[in-house]
Amino acid sequence: MKSTVVRHLALTIAAAAALLALTYGLEPFRNYQLATAAAYLCATAGLTVLTGLSGQLSLGHGALMATGAYPVALAQNEFRDRDISGGWVLPVSLSIGVATALVAGLVVGLAAARLRGPYLAGVTLAVAVIVPALTTAFDSVFNGDQGLSVYVAPPPMSLGYDFPYERWQAWIALTGALLVMFLLANLLRSRYGRHFRAVRDDEVAARLAGINVARTQVLAFVVSAACAGLGGGLLAVLAQSVSPGAFSLTLSLFLVMAVVIGGLGRLAGAAWGAVLLVLLPEASHSVTEALSLSPSAAQRLDGNLPLAIFGITLVAVMLLAPGGVQGLLSRAAGLRRRTRGWSDPGAERQHSAGR
Amino acid sequence: MDRFVFLTFDGLSRGAVYSAFALALVLIWRGARIVNFAQGAMAIATVYAAYSVTSATGSYWLGFGAALLCGLALGAVVERGVMRFVGHASPLNAVIVALGLVLVIQAVLGMLYGNEYRPAEAPFSRTAFTVGGLAFLSRYDLFVFAAVVVLMVGLALLFTRTPVGLRLRAAAFAPEVSRLLGVNVAGMRTLAWALASAVGALAAMLIVPTGLGLHPTSMDLVFVTAFTAAVVGGLESPLGAVAGGLAVGLLLSYVSGYAGAEMSPVAVLLLLLAVLLVRPSGLFSTVAARRV
């Protein structure tokens, strides 16, 4: 156990050094993208733990990111209004965001631990659709569709006058992402990680082995929500604004796509997913620019092309790689793994029912 | 009191539409054991089709017919082209594929029509009649009721009085036996999807003019509400879906009437959580209909 922590610590420090060097090598815009990918990574890593390792699907992680982001915005602005500043302010705000997301995750997780299959998906989908709508319900606090701007202090003077702001952003976000990855990697190698996998693979066997299944599932949900909350808080800090539009159902679906496509069940997959989330819109932007369309057509294509690509990729992955992804997902539902072909409707009928 | 009466009628009118949409979910659930998470996106696509036809011809009713036909076709295409090939080892596979479809459909609609809200015209006045100072229903509400009642009676007759209905039910309940008896089970499943998708199209045509506006994502919340209605009814029973839809419609009408329209999404979430935590099989389920 101890050696695992030391190994993970060494890996984290090595990654931190490499990324630090990278931030010096990249131009500002790329640094900003790196920072955004790091923020997404917090959420996708959390979702990987939840879906890939403990076997619960959440379509509501975009909304959980919002529950992390809004408190950060409120806290940062409150600190500014009271003229409180210092290096500790941002970490405190982010902790408040994480704590809020953690509580939200506990509430959803308590419900989720009792639900299976499409029912669980339905509840988390409801969370994804309804939490952004809450910002309108409590207009005076969250400022409705406009959202809030987030005050973020400039980089410390000790770094020099002309220190690029984007590099500072990248440092903040990467610190958060590395922390999440380090903690999750250790969690997965611990007793709890084994419990997660045991519950995912076979709930009955896990229960017989003395594992409290419900508590394990709730724990996974809470950990995952806290990670999503940190990701949301970091996104708010990077964009210096929060609005319900930034945490729509589409974001929740994108996160699911990212972890499915990136590879369920491995933290490295979460990193690929996060990078994909940042690079795909950019790639489709350059495609639309290359096509030299009329401005309105280009604008339509620009926003929707990544959606289409993600959607098609997701459907294709699910249809064409039933062994890989499906194998994990079938265990995700707590059902016994079936290696049977997917064109056997007789078998389908017996094993596709939820509770 | 006036207000209560008005909210009740308004709730029943909205609830009728949720019933129809929930019925579409139940049709697919019974036929294929899949909760069609793409239902909302598929339905809004048919409303866009209706919008195009109505703009081209100037006739609301041609658009209405186009939406229903488009619904039938879309359901069949989705089942034949995609859903048939989904592995059923886990119920989540179908959910994830459906969500992929949601993204694709919404992206295509956004590319074709743009991502701005368009007003949707209602074919009848939405101003309520007043009888003795009490506001009752509008012409449009009556149209909604009539359409939903025709739909329900039609489906009931189809399922209980026709040979196709018998085959549909047989294929859903005992696919192996039905196949041995010569029922085209795969074809019945496609038909169930097509029917459900047309029902969803009808529901969307009825609800979009009531203030939702035409937008690729405007059915998202309706889907969640209808899912809640179907869960309240138990996902198995068409009657449960109807009752659940009306109950959810009433609840939402009272919540938005007395607590503010912006609170109704919260009420949906709380209701869904409450029902699932207390009776996951639905309030209207009798004995365990079937354990699979």
Side-chain angles (χ1 to χ4, degrees):
Chain A
M1 180 64 207
K2 201 157 222 169
S3 70
T4 315
V5 175
V6 171
R7 190 162 54 84
H8 285 156
L9 193 62
L11 271 175
T12 309
I13 292 172
L19 288 166
L20 183 67
L22 187 64
T23 58
Y24 277 98
L26 291 176
E27 52 183 298
F29 177 63
R30 296 288 168 198
N31 263 328
Y32 182 78
Q33 285 189 314
L34 182 65
T36 315
Y40 281 133
L41 175 57
C42 298
T44 53
L47 190 55
T48 298
V49 168
L50 184 72
T51 303
L53 292 154
S54 101
Q56 304 175 82
L57 180 68
S58 167
L59 310 178
H61 261 52
L64 289 173
M65 288 179 85
T67 61
Y70 270 94
V72 169
L74 293 170
Q76 281 293 99
N77 294 345
E78 191 67 33
F79 282 131
R80 180 202 53 194
D81 291 346
R82 299 188 178 198
D83 256 338
I84 301 172
S85 61
W88 52 272
V89 164
L90 188 61
V92 166
S93 301
L94 287 171
S95 310
I96 296 173
V98 169
T100 315
L102 200 138
V103 172
L106 182 65
V107 174
V108 183
L110 283 172
R114 301 186 51 181
L115 302 172
R116 299 291 175 271
Y119 290 108
L120 174 56
V123 167
T124 51
L125 180 78
V127 170
V129 173
I130 286 159
V131 165
L134 284 180
T135 53
T136 324
F138 302 99
D139 206 14
S140 54
V141 188
F142 301 123
N143 197 25
D145 286 340
Q146 263 98 52
L148 304 165
S149 62
V150 181
Y151 172 77
V152 184
M157 276 305 163
S158 53
L159 290 169
Y161 279 105
D162 54 350
F163 191 81
Y165 188 65
E166 287 81 1
R167 194 181 297 156
W168 176 239
Q169 288 180 311
W171 286 10
I172 295 174
L174 286 170
T175 309
L178 285 171
L179 186 70
V180 163
M181 292 299 265
F182 174 69
L183 292 177
L184 287 184
N186 285 320
L187 179 76
L188 294 182
R189 291 299 295 265
S190 74
R191 185 156 58 95
Y192 298 106
R194 286 196 301 279
H195 287 185
F196 288 167
R197 286 186 288 268
V199 168
R200 174 198 67 188
D201 288 342
D202 194 330
E203 275 186 36
V204 177
R207 195 169 283 124
L208 287 173
I211 295 172
N212 185 331
V213 171
R215 196 191 295 159
T216 306
Q217 287 180 322
V218 174
L219 176 72
F221 219 106
V222 168
V223 167
S224 173
C227 297
L230 180 61
L234 288 173
L235 268 193
V237 168
L238 296 180
Q240 300 191 21
S241 74
V242 283
S243 65
F247 300 100
S248 62
L249 174 63
T250 309
L251 174 64
S252 295
L253 298 190
F254 270 15
L255 293 174
V256 174
M257 320 270 139
V259 299
V260 169
I261 296 169
L264 270 178
R266 306 196 57 183
L267 282 179
W272 289 116
V275 171
L276 212 60
L277 281 179
V278 174
L279 287 188
L280 191 69
E282 197 210 341
S284 78
H285 183 64
S286 27
V287 167
T288 43
E289 273 194 342
L291 286 175
S292 67
L293 300 158
S294 72
S296 68
Q299 198 196 349
R300 279 181 192 181
L301 204 57
D302 206 17
N304 290 306
L305 199 57
L307 257 73
I309 295 174
F310 257 122
I312 291 169
T313 314
L314 194 80
V315 173
V317 166
M318 292 307 292
L319 295 188
L320 301 178
V325 180
Q326 179 195 321
L328 283 167
L329 277 170
S330 55
R331 288 185 288 178
L335 296 168
R336 189 171 298 158
R337 188 170 178 182
R338 292 261 143 189
T339 45
R340 211 180 281 221
W342 30 258
S343 56
D344 182 355
E348 287 164 18
R349 294 209 48 83
Q350 288 162 19
H351 297 282
S352 54
R355 197 164 69 179
Chain B
M1 189 61 205
D2 299 9
R3 193 165 172 70
F4 182 78
V5 171
F6 173 75
L7 289 176
T8 305
F9 279 111
D10 188 52
L12 289 174
S13 157
R14 279 205 273 171
V17 180
Y18 296 139
S19 296
F21 209 68
L23 203 56
L25 284 172
V26 169
L27 275 176
I28 294 179
W29 173 255
R30 281 165 61 109
R33 296 279 122 180
I34 287 173
V35 175
N36 179 18
F37 278 77
Q39 187 107 62
M42 287 163 68
I44 201 70
T46 66
V47 181
Y48 271 104
Y51 170 82
S52 288
V53 171
T54 302
S55 322
T57 62
S59 157
Y60 174 85
W61 298 106
L62 279 179
F64 196 83
L68 297 186
L69 285 180
C70 182
L72 279 174
L74 192 57
V77 166
V78 165
E79 201 279 331
R80 287 262 153 164
V82 183
M83 285 301 174
R84 163 163 306 199
F85 305 107
V86 179
H88 285 246
S90 152
L92 294 185
N93 294 5
V95 172
I96 293 188
V97 169
L99 293 171
L101 282 179
V102 170
L103 287 182
V104 174
I105 292 172
Q106 291 183 347
V108 169
L109 290 176
M111 286 179 206
L112 292 177
Y113 294 94
N115 282 48
E116 57 275 351
Y117 277 92
R118 290 164 192 272
E121 302 275 322
F124 299 104
S125 155
R126 294 194 54 228
T127 321
F129 296 119
T130 47
V131 177
L134 282 178
F136 281 102
L137 296 159
S138 66
R139 278 176 202 279
Y140 188 71
D141 290 331
L142 291 176
F143 168 60
V144 168
F145 282 129
V148 174
V149 168
V150 168
L151 169 77
M152 308 240 164
V153 172
L155 283 179
L157 288 179
L158 172 71
F159 274 92
T160 56
R161 294 275 187 277
T162 65
V164 175
L166 183 62
R167 280 189 214 117
L168 274 167
R169 283 185 292 151
F173 273 95
E176 308 270 319
V177 178
S178 314
R179 190 178 293 114
L180 289 173
L181 291 173
V183 174
N184 178 358
V185 172
M188 287 302 127
R189 191 172 290 187
T190 310
L191 182 61
W193 270 83
L195 275 178
S197 169
V199 172
L202 174 72
M205 282 302 287
L206 294 177
I207 203 165
V208 165
T210 61
L212 276 183
L214 199 49
H215 186 269
T217 64
S218 55
M219 289 298 280
D220 286 356
L221 187 56
V222 177
F223 173 80
V224 169
T225 313
F227 176 76
T228 308
V231 167
V232 168
L235 267 181
E236 278 287 347
S237 110
L239 276 180
V242 174
L246 292 177
V248 169
L250 281 175
L251 174 84
L252 289 192
S253 183
Y254 295 140
V255 167
S256 61
Y258 293 116
E262 65 281 356
M263 291 311 287
S264 61
V266 187
V268 175
L269 182 60
L270 291 180
L271 177 70
L272 181 60
L273 277 177
V275 173
L276 282 176
L277 291 181
V278 178
R279 279 199 76 172
S281 54
L283 296 181
F284 295 86
S285 65
T286 47
V287 273
R290 67 186 210 172
R291 307 268 316 165
V292 190

